[in-house]
Amino acid sequence: MDKVYNHKDVEEKIYKVWEEKGYFKPEVNPKGKPYCIILPPPNANAPLHFGHAMYVVEDVLIRYHRMLGNAALWLPGADHAGFETQFVFEKKLQKEGKSRFDFDRNTLYKMIWDFVQENRGGMESQLRRLGFSLDWSRKKFTLDQDIIKIAYQTFKKLYDEGFIYRGDRLVNYCTKCGTSFSDLEVNHKEQKDPFYYIKYGPFVLATVRPETKFGDTAVAINPEDKRYQKWVGKEIEVQGVNGKFKVKVIADDLIDPNFGTGVAKVTPAHDMKDFEIGKKHNLDIVQVIGFDGKLNEKTGKYQGLYVRQARKAVAEDMQKMGLIEKIDENYIHTIETCYKCETTIEPMLLPQWFVKMERLAKTAIDVLKKGEIKFHPQRFEKTYLDFLENIRDWNISRQIVWGIRIPAWKNSKTGEWVITEGEAPKGESWKQDEDTFDTWFSSAQWPFSTLMANCDCDGSGGFFDRFYPTSVMETGYDILRWWVARMVMVGIYRTGKVPFRNVVLHGLVNDPYGKKMSKSKGNAINPLELVDQYGADAVRFALIYGNATGNDQALSYPKLDATRKFTNKLWNMGRFIEMNRTSAFAKASTVAKALADKSADKQNSIEELLELAKNNNDREMIEKTKQLTNEITKHLESYNFNYAAESLYEFAWHEFADKYIEDIKDRLNPESYIILNTLYLTLLKLLHPFMPFVTEEIYQRFKFGESVMIDKWPAFAVAKALADKSAGKPSL
RNA sequence: GGACCCGUGGCUCAGUUGGUAGAGCGUCUCAUUUACACUGAGAAGGUCAGAGGUUCGAAUCCUCUCGGGUCCACCA
C-alpha cells in the first residue's frame, strides 16, 4: 500500500466495477426484505447543485440496508422540470434573437427535447462520482411514455371521480412568462406604493390600483359598519375618468371597517378577494387587463398602456379632475410576484384545470395522525400539517409546451369535454387542450409511477407490488409542500397506500459565509470540484458530520480537510496492519500460518473473538467495537446520521488508532493479530455506508477482492454467528 | 398577521429521556521520522444571547425580551 491514500486512483475504478457486477440492484439480496428509496429526480437539464450532494443520506441508508441483507432498491430518475426548463430554453432563444412564438408547438417541443438530451448525461455522471449506489438499469424520466400513461390514468381517475374541475377562477398569471401558476409558485414581496384616497360617489375609498377602476362592479362595506349602512343595496353614481358610471353598494364581512376608509371598490376580474366577493353577490366580472399585461378596449384612451403606465396616467387624470382626496406615499403592502422572473403577478380570469384538494388533504393528514408516516426530524410535521389544513385547490394547468399535455378534448360544436388516457376521442370536432400539466402533478406520482413502470425481470412479480410503499423519502425540507405533501395525497389516492413510511428531511448547504448559494449571486460551488479535490468519501462525510439532520449548514473547507485526513488515517491504519502481517506470524505455529494466508481475514463474531482473546486490552477493544456496532446501528435506525458519523470518527481515530494500535504494536502475536485484523474490518464495514470508496479499496486488498459493499453488516454477522454456534457449527 | 429555525470556546458546528460543557479548524508547548507530518502527547480558551420561572439539579423544559435567517398569509 502506498504511504498516502489517493482517491483519484480508486473512486472511478471502483464505481465501475460495482456497476458492472450489478451490485446496485436489489437482486444482490434476492431473498431479502424489500427496502426502497426513490431518488428525488433532479432536473434532467441542469447540472447538480449542492443540494443534490445531500442525497448522500439516501446512499448511507441504502448501503446500510443492503448490508443488512435487504433487497435494497434506490431508483434514479430525471425530471423534465417543465416551466424551469422552458424558461431556460426561451432565454437561449432570446440570445439567438428568436422567441417561442416563432415556432409551432411540435417544433418547439422537439427543440426543447433535443436541448435536454444534450445536457442530460451530465447530471447522471455527477451522481456516479459521488458514489451513489443507484440502480441505473431502472432509471426513469418524467416524459417516458409509460410514465406519461400513468399520469393520464391518474388524471382520468380524478376526473371521473369528481376531483377535477375546469375552473372559471382567478389564477396567478405572469404576463411576462405567459403562464399561470399554483399558489406555491408565487412569491410575496413587500413594496411601497402610493395609496390613493379617491372620491367615489358619496364615498372616499383607498386603493393602490386606480387603473382597475374600469372593472369595478360594486362598492363594498362591512355589514356592521354603521357609517355607511344606509347605502347598502342602493346604486350609486360615480364620476370616473371616462365619464360617469353606476355601481351597487354591497355589504360583506370580508371588508375590514378599520382599514382605509372602510369602503372598498370591488373589481372581481383582477383581485382574488374581490372575485370571492363577486361570486357571493353575483357581480359581473369585467376584465380590463389583457394577458399581455396591457389595458384593453374597455378602458378607452388608456387601452394599450401597461398596468404601471396606466396607473400613473389614470391617477394624474383623476388628480386633474379633483377626484383624489389625498395620496399616502408611504404605504407598504405585499404584492405577489412571479417566482421566476419577479414580474408582478396579475390575477386573471382564465379557465384552468383544478384539483379539489380538501378530501385528498384529509387523507394525508390522517395517515400522519395514525402514524403510518413519520417525519424525521419530527418538527417538519408542523409544516406539513399547516399546508394541508389550509389547502386550496390546485391549479395544474400551465400554458407551456414542455411537459405532459393535458389529455382533455373539447368538442367545438357542443362545448363538451372528454378526458382520456391519452388517445384522441373518435369523431370530428374534438380539439385537445393546449395546456400541459404542472410538473409537480407528475412528480407527485413519482413513487408509484416509477415502480409501476418497472418490471421485475426475474419474474417474481412487479416492482410496484414488491417495493411499494417505499421505505423512505429523503429530500430537502424546502420542497416539503411542493412535493412531499402532494406525493402523499396523490399516492394514497391512486394506490390506497402511503407512498413512503418515513420522510427524512435535510437542510440547505450554504456557502462558507452562510449565504444561500445561487447561480445568479455567483457563489454557487460545484460539488464535483470538491470531489476532485478532497475525494467523494471526504465530501460525503463532511456533509454528514457535525450537522444535525434537517439543519442548514455552511460549507466548511476546514471540515473537508479534516474528513480528507480521516480517509488517509483509515488507509494508514490498514497499511500498518498489512505491513505487520508477516511479522506477526513469523514465530507462529502452522495453524497460525494457515490463518495468515486466508483465515485471518475470515469474518469472526465478537463472541468468537472474545474466546480467542487472552489480553485484557484486546478483550476491552472487542467489547468496545461491539458497543460501537450497536450504537451506529441505533443511530442509523433513528436517522441520526451525524451521531453515527461522529462516533465512527472518534472511535476510529482516537480509540482504534491512537490507543489500540499503539498498545498492540509491541505485543503482536497470531491471536492478537487476528483480533486486530477482524476489528479493523468490522470498522470498515461500519464506515462503508458513509465512505464507500476508501473502505472498499482497503477491504478488497485485505479480503482478496471480496467486496465490503455486498458483505454483511457486523450486527448481522454477530447474530448469524450466534445462530451458527447454537446450530453446532465450529468457530474459527 | 401566523409559523419555524438559529444565537454554545477566535471560526464552523455537535450536545439524543434535564445529571459536573464537546469536536474539527485555529492558537500555544512538547515528542517523534513513525502505519500515518494528511502524525502523536498535552495546554490555553465558554457567565451555553439576555431576563424570569419549573426542578435537588437547566445549554437542555416553560414564559418574555433582543439579535440573525427561513417559510406561510386574498387586508382593498
Side-chain angles (χ1 to χ4, degrees):
Chain A
M1 289 168 82
D2 291 341
K3 216 170 166 181
V4 172
Y5 171 66
N6 188 350
H7 64 267
K8 289 190 176 164
D9 299 340
V10 170
E11 296 185 348
E12 283 188 59
K13 176 193 80 185
I14 285 185
Y15 195 93
K16 214 172 145 225
V17 172
W18 282 337
E19 195 172 354
E20 280 168 5
K21 291 199 173 172
Y23 288 176
F24 299 151
K25 299 180 180 219
E27 286 85 347
V28 165
N29 293 317
K31 289 182 186 152
K33 223 174 89 189
Y35 183 88
C36 177
I37 299 178
I38 307 290
L39 178 80
N43 182 340
N45 184 52
L48 293 192
H49 56 74
F50 236 98
H52 297 115
M54 282 310 292
Y55 295 155
V56 63
V57 168
E58 295 167 42
D59 197 37
V60 169
L61 286 171
I62 282 287
R63 286 179 183 274
Y64 163 64
H65 281 272
R66 191 181 288 119
M67 290 175 80
L68 281 182
N70 292 347
L73 170 66
W74 191 17
L75 197 155
D79 187 19
H80 68 281
F83 174 64
E84 297 281 335
T85 300
Q86 180 161 331
F87 189 85
V88 171
F89 186 75
E90 281 187 38
K91 269 194 159 169
K92 182 174 165 265
L93 281 182
Q94 211 174 10
K95 271 186 199 152
E96 296 162 3
K98 297 176 197 152
S99 101
R100 67 171 150 142
F101 301 107
D102 299 338
F103 307 96
D104 65 61
R105 182 192 183 98
N106 290 338
T107 311
L108 189 60
Y109 187 91
K110 180 75 180 32
M111 285 163 75
I112 303 178
W113 180 276
D114 292 341
F115 175 65
V116 168
Q117 291 312 314
E118 272 169 41
N119 296 315
R120 190 171 161 186
M123 174 276 276
E124 291 176 6
S125 67
Q126 286 176 307
L127 293 170
R128 287 182 163 90
R129 290 289 311 282
L130 285 158
F132 292 173
S133 56
L134 290 152
D135 184 355
W136 293 104
S137 68
R138 268 73 188 226
K139 74 174 176 189
K140 283 286 155 198
F141 180 43
T142 45
L143 295 182
D144 284 346
Q145 281 312 312
D146 42 11
I147 297 288
I148 291 177
K149 180 85 180 169
I150 291 164
Y152 283 164
Q153 288 164 352
T154 305
F155 183 68
K156 186 165 185 331
K157 180 174 154 74
L158 282 165
Y159 184 82
D160 290 344
E161 294 176 6
F163 284 91
I164 299 282
Y165 64 92
R166 190 161 173 82
D168 271 332
R169 224 185 66 170
L170 287 199
V171 294
N172 306 300
Y173 195 85
C174 174
T175 52
K176 192 171 165 196
C177 295
T179 182
S180 67
F181 292 111
S182 74
D183 295 323
L184 286 183
E185 288 158 305
V186 171
N187 285 336
H188 298 265
K189 198 177 90 186
E190 278 208 338
Q191 183 172 297
K192 193 156 92 175
D193 274 310
F195 200 34
Y196 304 95
Y197 284 77
I198 62 177
K199 290 180 183 162
Y200 210 88
F203 309 116
V204 170
L205 61 79
T207 179
V208 275
R209 302 201 65 181
E211 79 281 7
T212 62
K213 201 173 163 186
F214 312 107
D216 293 356
T217 50
V219 164
I221 59 139
N222 188 288
E224 306 295 315
D225 196 331
K226 298 210 168 65
R227 292 172 292 176
Y228 309 115
Q229 225 143 44
K230 59 175 176 179
W231 296 101
V232 175
K234 301 207 168 108
E235 200 172 59
I236 58 163
E237 192 178 64
V238 180
Q239 177 67 51
V241 282
N242 285 343
K244 292 186 174 164
F245 62 96
K246 288 180 177 170
V247 292
K248 227 168 76 179
V249 181
I250 56 171
D252 195 296
D253 47 20
L254 277 175
I255 302 298
D256 177 358
N258 300 317
F259 185 86
T261 61
V263 184
K265 68 194 201 65
V266 184
T267 323
H270 297 290
D271 183 280
M272 297 289 182
K273 187 163 137 183
D274 290 3
F275 185 77
E276 290 301 312
I277 295 175
K279 259 201 330 205
K280 265 196 269 178
H281 297 268
N282 275 322
L283 300 178
D284 289 340
I285 300 168
V286 179
Q287 197 154 354
V288 297
I289 300 166
F291 294 111
D292 53 3
K294 294 175 182 170
L295 271 67
N296 68 13
E297 72 286 348
K298 296 205 179 78
T299 64
K301 61 176 171 171
Y302 304 101
Q303 181 177 358
L305 292 179
Y306 281 106
V307 166
R308 289 225 132 235
Q309 299 169 321
R311 182 174 308 173
K312 201 161 163 258
V314 170
E316 275 171 14
D317 291 346
M318 288 180 79
Q319 190 83 281
K320 281 179 204 151
M321 294 169 74
L323 292 173
I324 295 190
E325 189 172 280
K326 63 169 179 174
I327 302 172
D328 179 357
E329 295 285 357
N330 294 312
Y331 179 64
I332 293 168
H333 66 142
T334 316
I335 58 154
E336 285 79 49
T337 60
C338 171
Y339 82 108
K340 197 74 207 172
C341 75
E342 295 189 347
T343 301
T344 303
I345 288 291
E346 204 56 65
M348 288 280 193
L349 192 67
L350 188 62
Q352 302 278 279
W353 297 102
F354 286 90
V355 185
K356 286 186 196 165
M357 298 308 286
E358 208 182 323
R359 268 167 64 198
L360 298 177
K362 198 179 166 303
T363 60
I365 294 168
D366 287 347
V367 291
L368 179 73
K369 299 216 160 142
K370 278 191 232 151
E372 287 175 40
I373 190 165
K374 288 202 169 62
F375 281 73
H376 313 274
Q378 204 185 353
R379 71 178 125 93
F380 288 111
E381 286 180 0
K382 208 161 181 174
T383 314
Y384 174 84
L385 286 175
D386 183 64
F387 173 63
L388 292 172
E389 282 164 0
N390 300 298
I391 201 151
R392 299 166 66 189
D393 287 352
W394 179 12
N395 171 11
I396 53 168
S397 317
R398 294 293 178 277
Q399 290 71 53
I400 56 175
V401 305
W402 183 238
I404 302 175
R405 191 164 174 187
I406 298 176
W409 277 261
K410 189 179 185 179
N411 190 307
S412 56
K413 284 178 190 152
T414 62
E416 171 194 7
W417 283 98
V418 165
I419 309 299
T420 74
E421 289 184 10
E423 68 283 2
K426 292 204 168 33
E428 309 235 324
S429 22
W430 292 102
K431 191 167 174 292
Q432 187 174 5
D433 190 21
E434 292 289 331
D435 292 351
T436 51
F437 286 130
D438 176 7
T439 300
W440 296 100
F441 183 72
S442 50
S443 308
Q445 308 180 47
W446 202 236
F448 64 80
S449 63
T450 50
L451 290 173
M452 284 175 174
N454 260 298
C455 71
D456 203 344
C457 304
D458 64 6
S460 64
F463 260 32
F464 176 79
D465 294 336
R466 194 150 160 231
F467 289 104
Y468 192 91
T470 64
S471 313
V472 166
M473 171 50 62
E474 198 282 337
T475 189
Y477 67 77
D478 51 328
I479 52 173
L480 183 57
R481 272 172 290 249
W482 297 62
W483 196 39
V484 178
R486 286 164 171 176
M487 277 190 289
V488 177
M489 291 187 281
V490 179
I492 296 172
Y493 176 71
R494 178 74 194 262
T495 70
K497 291 180 193 161
V498 290
F500 29 75
R501 304 272 183 216
N502 291 284
V503 179
V504 180
L505 281 326
H506 65 247
L508 268 48
V509 184
N510 293 319
D511 79 0
Y513 304 99
K515 298 274 175 249
K516 194 168 176 170
M517 285 192 205
S518 85
K519 245 191 279 175
S520 53
K521 266 193 284 179
N523 65 343
I525 295 160
N526 180 348
L528 273 295
E529 279 171 28
L530 298 184
V531 170
D532 278 338
Q533 200 181 339
Y534 297 92
D537 290 330
V539 172
R540 292 165 60 112
F541 209 74
L543 289 174
I544 290 176
Y545 183 95
N547 182 254
T549 307
N551 282 3
D552 292 351
Q553 62 178 314
L555 187 71
S556 160
Y557 289 103
K559 193 152 93 175
L560 284 162
D561 265 322
T563 52
R564 195 192 81 239
K565 285 180 185 173
F566 185 51
T567 56
N568 192 55
K569 189 73 183 180
L570 289 172
W571 176 261
N572 273 289
M573 286 154 66
R575 189 159 171 255
F576 171 82
I577 295 168
E578 190 195 47
M579 286 167 83
N580 285 285
R581 180 166 299 162
T582 326
S583 67
F585 289 101
K587 288 167 264 170
S589 66
T590 43
V591 177
K593 268 186 181 146
L595 289 173
D597 291 337
K598 189 119 193 185
S599 317
D601 299 317
K602 198 176 137 194
Q603 174 64 55
N604 298 295
S605 78
I606 301 290
E607 281 68 21
E608 284 169 336
L609 283 179
L610 276 170
E611 277 174 25
L612 187 68
K614 299 194 176 62
N615 180 288
N616 276 338
N617 290 355
D618 286 349
R619 297 183 68 86
E620 197 186 324
M621 199 59 192
I622 295 166
E623 283 296 345
K624 280 185 179 168
T625 306
K626 187 180 165 186
Q627 273 172 30
L628 178 77
T629 302
N630 293 336
E631 207 177 303
I632 302 306
T633 307
K634 190 185 84 191
H635 292 327
L636 287 176
E637 291 292 339
S638 54
Y639 308 101
N640 288 317
F641 306 99
N642 57 318
Y643 298 167
E646 286 151 27
S647 299
L648 282 165
Y649 182 94
E650 171 65 23
F651 183 88
W653 201 312
H654 301 299
E655 196 68 48
F656 201 96
D658 292 348
K659 298 205 180 96
Y660 177 52
I661 290 183
E662 290 306 319
D663 167 67
I664 210 168
K665 263 182 185 171
D666 303 325
R667 55 177 184 80
L668 271 180
N669 60 40
E671 286 77 26
S672 61
Y673 185 84
I674 291 172
I675 294 164
L676 171 69
N677 193 60
T678 307
L679 294 184
Y680 178 64
L681 292 175
T682 304
L683 191 55
L684 290 182
K685 287 183 195 172
L686 295 175
L687 275 159
H688 180 259
F690 301 86
M691 306 190 122
F693 291 116
V694 66
T695 50
E696 182 72 289
E697 174 67 14
I698 302 170
Y699 201 82
Q700 290 195 9
R701 284 166 182 265
F702 273 54
K703 300 259 286 181
F704 310 97
E706 275 180 46
S707 169
V708 63
M709 176 178 169
I710 55 163
D711 206 332
K712 295 291 170 267
W713 189 249
F716 183 85
V718 171
K720 188 175 178 300
L722 285 171
D724 286 351
K725 215 170 197 174
S726 59
K729 289 190 188 168
S731 57
L732 268 176

